[in-house]
Amino acid sequence: MFYLVAFLGLVSCVPIQASKDEQALKSTVDSALAFATKQSMRMAEKYKYQEGELPRTFQQGKDISSDSRWWCSGFFPGVLWYVYENDPNPDVLEYAKLYTARVEREKYTTDNHDVGFMIYCSFGNGYRLTQDPHYKAVMLTAAQSLATRYNPKVGLIRSWDHNREQWQYPVIIDNIMNLELLLWASVNSDDKRLKDIALSHADKTMVHHFRRNYSSYHVVSYDTVTAIPHRKQTHQGYSDESSWSRGQAWGLYGYTYLYRETGDERYLRQAVLIADYLLHHPNMPEDYIPYWDYDSPEIPETYRDVSAATIMASALIDLSSFVDGDRVEQYSKVIATQILTLASPAYTAKLGENGCFILKHSVGAYPLKSEVDVPLTYADYYYLEALTKLKRKIH
């Protein structure tokens, strides 16, 4: 196992000779970022002249793209911004700006909750690195668009508008990720109502989405009259009561950044308890690359979901800075194991292969037979985010 304690700044300030294992991790992070730059630039070149198109996946030897309307449209621009952060050259910057611009119209999106993913991952990273005032304006507009989906009586942002015969007011665990845009906008504008909306959503999700063991449902639909749940499901998992792995990762990531942004100990406790559930789950593989659902009866003869692993890794890097004692060591071991595994040939593609995506073996929605065992833009995005966070800590 590989220890990150010295790198995470949570031990003595006395200089310590880096161990071989620590040097191996540092070398892996550097080489993984270098490869990501080459692979992502090839992807950028491939779609350069396909106006409005963004990479989505690569399936059965064919490129599958989308326009900005697809919920994942902001992830590839975000990948390019992380590449630029680690390799700030003009060519990368040009591509990051080009693909970010392809998503701009989504700042007016009010018919789904994914405007947070679309805009914060693209324009958010762009603004963080360039301080371009236009990017800030786009994000503030997008935050107002997202806020239109909040119903004060229910106290939550509505996720979906479809299947009205089944769901009155559906909220999915993924929606916890989009609150970060609202929190940012509340700080960068005079509209403090946006923070109230975000925290109301986070609090009600904490009450109604999570089971006693801190696993979560995927979908909770609320009665619009009573504002209490009338239906709880796991739409993209094995069964309603199962633990769909990416959904668990969304929850871990969401409550980790909620604590980072608010300092509210309730959110830290929630994140730690979710992490405890995941890291001690009997069906968690030794390499910490989860199966697509922790309760699939086909384990171990079923698919891993790399996207769940990358989201977990990014969240745990942050969470490791907020805890102490044995949890620091535990999280550090898991992070190192995940990164070293993901960077290996088992999960990292060869240059120019895999449709020019970085990672292989993610699962979109197994029960719907959609994007099973393929590369996905959000797996690459959270992998680059995790690598970037580690690089900041270990260099």
Side-chain angles (χ1 to χ4, degrees), residues 208-223:
H208 295 299
H209 251 87
F210 289 86
R211 307 180 183 101
R212 289 186 177 181
N213 62 2
Y214 292 92
S215 66
S216 74
Y217 292 96
H218 177 205
V219 188
V220 175
S221 183
Y222 291 80
D223 185 300

Side-chain angles (χ1 to χ4, degrees), residues 71 75 117 173-177 244-255 311 378 382:
W71 74 275
F75 288 118
F117 281 126
I173 189 62
D174 319 37
N175 207 337
I176 201 75
M177 302 292 286
W244 171 53
S245 63
R246 191 165 67 253
Q248 314 312 305
W250 291 139
L252 174 65
Y253 189 110
Y255 286 99
I311 298 161
Y378 45 95
Y382 289 104

Side-chain angles (χ1 to χ4, degrees), residues 18 65 79 112 154 188 235 239 257 262 281 283 285 319:
S65 64
V79 164
N112 65 71
V154 181
N188 287 275
H235 188 58
S239 70
Y257 84 69
T262 69
H281 198 287
N283 287 336
L319 190 57

Side-chain angles (χ1 to χ4, degrees), residues 157-286:
I157 297 166
R158 186 185 184 108
S159 297
W160 295 332
D161 291 340
H162 58 274
N163 286 1
R164 289 180 179 269
E165 71 285 352
Q166 180 179 180
W167 301 314
Q168 289 186 43
Y169 197 94
V171 177
I172 62 176
I173 189 62
D174 319 37
N175 207 337
I176 201 75
M177 302 292 286
N178 295 304
L179 307 182
E180 194 167 6
L181 174 63
L182 298 181
L183 292 175
W184 175 89
S186 72
V187 172
N188 287 275
S189 73
D190 295 327
D191 193 349
K192 306 311 175 188
R193 174 186 63 104
L194 298 174
K195 180 177 181 179
D196 294 338
I197 290 173
L199 299 189
S200 174
H201 185 104
D203 292 345
K204 288 206 72 170
T205 298
M206 194 159 55
V207 171
H208 295 299
H209 251 87
F210 289 86
R211 307 180 183 101
R212 289 186 177 181
N213 62 2
Y214 292 92
S215 66
S216 74
Y217 292 96
H218 177 205
V219 188
V220 175
S221 183
Y222 291 80
D223 185 300
T224 55
V225 176
T226 65
I228 61 174
H230 72 90
R231 192 164 197 172
K232 296 186 177 184
Q233 295 178 292
T234 301
H235 188 58
Q236 289 175 233
Y238 168 67
S239 70
D240 287 344
E241 296 300 324
S242 70
S243 295
W244 171 53
S245 63
R246 191 165 67 253
Q248 314 312 305
W250 291 139
L252 174 65
Y253 189 110
Y255 286 99
T256 298
Y257 84 69
L258 280 159
Y259 173 71
R260 185 190 69 221
E261 297 301 318
T262 69
D264 192 321
E265 293 288 337
R266 294 178 305 133
Y267 299 142
L268 177 59
R269 179 177 181 274
Q270 184 76 6
V272 166
L273 290 169
I274 296 169
D276 285 351
Y277 170 77
L278 295 178
L279 302 186
H280 295 104
H281 198 287
N283 287 336
M284 174 64 83
E286 290 185 1

